């Protein structure tokens, strides 16, 4: 009987210990949630100042000093890789609808865009100034750690929190700059075509042939044997056609110019997006995604929408080019 009583006491003590540990774990998790909520609320409060500091005209010029160099070569590559990037995101969405979570997660985290120096600098600034997380290359005050890591039990529980999602969301955020660069250059060609040619030219594929035709027309009028006035009348009725070589060289030159412009497009795009509130909303969406990932361990992370806009503009460019080819 005494043995049975001792065993019962031991069992009760073990059960009490388990209850106490479970209670401490619940309390620690509650502490994590409370501290992280306060941390992410503080990040949201810093967004406006961050946007004003780095995405104004002066701030964007400081950012794009980093584009002087290999970014001029990386930006053209990203114009093509943007199609692949958008394809991986669409594939991830399709896989998720079909219930293939593994394939969706794999596709959704592929980073095919080349990291430019400007993208790297934006990621560093978002990490160290806005999120106040440590930069591995330049250790700095860690606001998240200061807000949360006050208890050893909390530190233990944090080891269970998903960490890869933060890096993936940041990479997706900075990758959106490549798409914005594409959109900016497309709008530039659209404006050029409207102002110079009075035509819809949403990209180099549409602007190149139209500009080549205008150049051929001007050259033919200037070389007309009976003078420019007669030449205008004649070629007004019978327009001159541009050679294939002129069309190809003009289009290639425009594409090269557009790709170089893409490296510095943010100098124009950043202040415009700041004025429209796009930078603010994008950063708030990023913080919301990080909040969900850290606190709930769930959510699909930050998803940039700009890549899809860029692809729609590509389709418009190809459609305009095809329609003109059919008419001719």
């Amino acid at each position: 009987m005494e043995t049975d009583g001792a065993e019962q006491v031991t069992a009760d003590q073990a059960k009490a210990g388990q209850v106490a540990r479970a209670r401490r774990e619940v309390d620690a998790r509650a502490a994590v949630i409370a501290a992280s909520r306060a941390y992410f609320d503080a990040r949201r409060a810093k967004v406006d100042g961050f946007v004003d500091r780095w995405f104004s005209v002066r701030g964007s010029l400081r950012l794009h000093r980093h584009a002087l160099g290999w970014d001029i070569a990386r930006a053209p590559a990203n114009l093509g890789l943007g199609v692949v990037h958008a394809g991986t995101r669409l594939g991830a969405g399709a896989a998720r609808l079909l219930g293939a979570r593994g394939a969706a997660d794999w596709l959704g985290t592929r980073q095919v865009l080349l990291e430019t120096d400007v993208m790297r600098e934006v990621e560093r600034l978002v990490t160290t100034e806005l999120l106040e997380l440590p930069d591995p290359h330049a250790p700095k005050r860690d606001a998240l750690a200061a807000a949360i890591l006050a208890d050893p039990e909390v530190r233990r529980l944090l080891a269970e929190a998903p960490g890869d999602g933060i890096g993936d969301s940041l990479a997706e955020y900075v990758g959106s700059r490549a798409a914005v660069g594409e959109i900016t250059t497309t709008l530039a060609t659209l404006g050029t075509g409207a102002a110079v040619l009075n035509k819809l030219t949403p990209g180099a594929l549409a602007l190149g042939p139209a500009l080549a035709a205008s150049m051929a027309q001007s050259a033919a009028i200037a070389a007309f044997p009976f003078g420019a006035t007669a030449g205008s009348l004649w070629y007004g009725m019978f327009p001159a056609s541009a050679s294939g070589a002129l069309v190809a060289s003009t289009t290639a030159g425009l594409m090269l110019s557009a790709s170089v412009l893409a490296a510095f497009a943010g100098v124009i795009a950043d202040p415009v997006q700041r004025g429209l509130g796009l930078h603010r909303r994008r950063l708030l969406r990023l913080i919301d995604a990080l909040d969900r990932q850290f606190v709930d361990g769930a959510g699909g992370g930050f998803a940039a929408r700009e890549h899809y806009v860029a692809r729609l503009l590509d389709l418009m460019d190809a459609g305009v080019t095809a329609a003109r080819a059919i008419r001719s």
Side-chain angles (χ1 to χ4, degrees):
M1 293 293 293
E2 292 180 0
T3 301
D4 291 342
E7 290 177 351
Q8 182 63 40
V9 169
T10 302
D12 290 343
Q13 290 174 339
K15 186 175 181 180
Q18 292 174 353
V19 171
R21 284 194 297 273
R23 185 177 295 112
R24 285 197 302 271
E25 185 165 324
V26 169
D27 291 342
R29 289 186 184 277
V32 170
I33 292 174
S36 60
R37 293 294 189 201
Y39 164 79
F40 285 113
D41 286 344
R43 299 312 101 197
R44 294 182 182 94
K46 289 172 65 72
V47 165
D48 288 342
F50 183 86
V51 168
D52 291 341
R53 184 161 57 255
W54 289 110
F55 298 129
S56 62
V57 173
R58 181 178 297 179
S60 189
L61 285 172
R62 280 189 291 164
L63 275 178
H64 284 81
R65 289 182 301 182
H66 297 273
L68 297 171
W70 283 107
D71 276 15
I72 296 175
R74 295 184 187 110
N78 280 337
L79 292 180
L81 290 172
V83 178
V84 180
H85 183 87
T88 62
R89 297 319 185 249
L90 289 171
R96 194 168 286 111
L97 287 174
L98 294 173
R101 289 298 303 273
D105 292 342
W106 187 86
L107 286 169
T109 54
R110 294 311 91 192
Q111 298 299 333
V112 299
L113 297 174
L114 300 180
E115 187 180 39
T116 66
D117 290 339
V118 172
M119 290 163 61
R120 191 177 295 113
E121 178 65 7
V122 170
E123 183 174 6
R124 186 189 71 80
L125 291 169
V126 171
T127 300
T128 60
E129 290 195 15
L130 181 60
L131 300 178
E132 292 189 82
L133 296 173
D135 182 354
H137 303 293
K140 190 178 179 180
R141 174 177 175 267
D142 188 340
L144 181 57
I148 297 175
L149 302 183
D151 188 297
E153 185 70 9
V154 173
R155 288 197 294 270
R156 184 184 69 79
L157 291 174
L158 278 179
E160 304 173 8
D164 293 340
I166 292 179
D168 291 337
S169 291
L170 281 172
E172 183 75 5
Y173 169 78
V174 298
S176 68
R177 295 188 66 83
V180 171
E182 288 187 70
I183 295 168
T184 303
T185 54
T186 298
L187 293 177
T189 59
L190 187 64
T192 300
V196 177
L197 305 173
N198 293 319
K199 290 184 177 180
L200 179 65
T201 55
L205 290 178
L207 181 58
L211 186 58
S214 178
M215 293 166 62
Q217 182 83 346
S218 297
I221 290 173
F224 196 71
F226 300 110
T229 302
S232 297
L233 293 173
W234 177 261
Y235 288 109
M237 294 182 293
F238 307 100
S241 60
S243 66
L246 180 60
V247 171
S249 61
T250 302
T251 303
L254 287 172
M255 293 178 71
L256 179 61
S257 300
S259 65
V260 173
L261 174 62
F264 300 94
V267 174
I268 299 171
D270 282 338
V272 171
Q273 291 180 91
R274 172 178 171 250
L276 294 174
L278 297 179
H279 272 307
R280 180 179 185 276
R281 288 196 289 273
R282 194 179 298 124
L283 283 169
L284 288 174
R285 284 198 298 115
L286 171 64
I287 293 172
D288 289 344
L290 297 179
D291 191 348
R292 290 192 302 271
Q293 287 178 308
F294 187 84
V295 175
D296 302 326
F302 177 83
R305 303 162 182 165
E306 291 77 10
H307 296 287
Y308 306 118
V309 177
R311 302 289 71 78
L312 287 173
L313 291 174
D314 286 345
L315 290 174
M316 184 187 298
D317 187 21
V320 169
T321 303
R324 286 179 181 155
I326 292 172
R327 286 201 303 269
S328 61

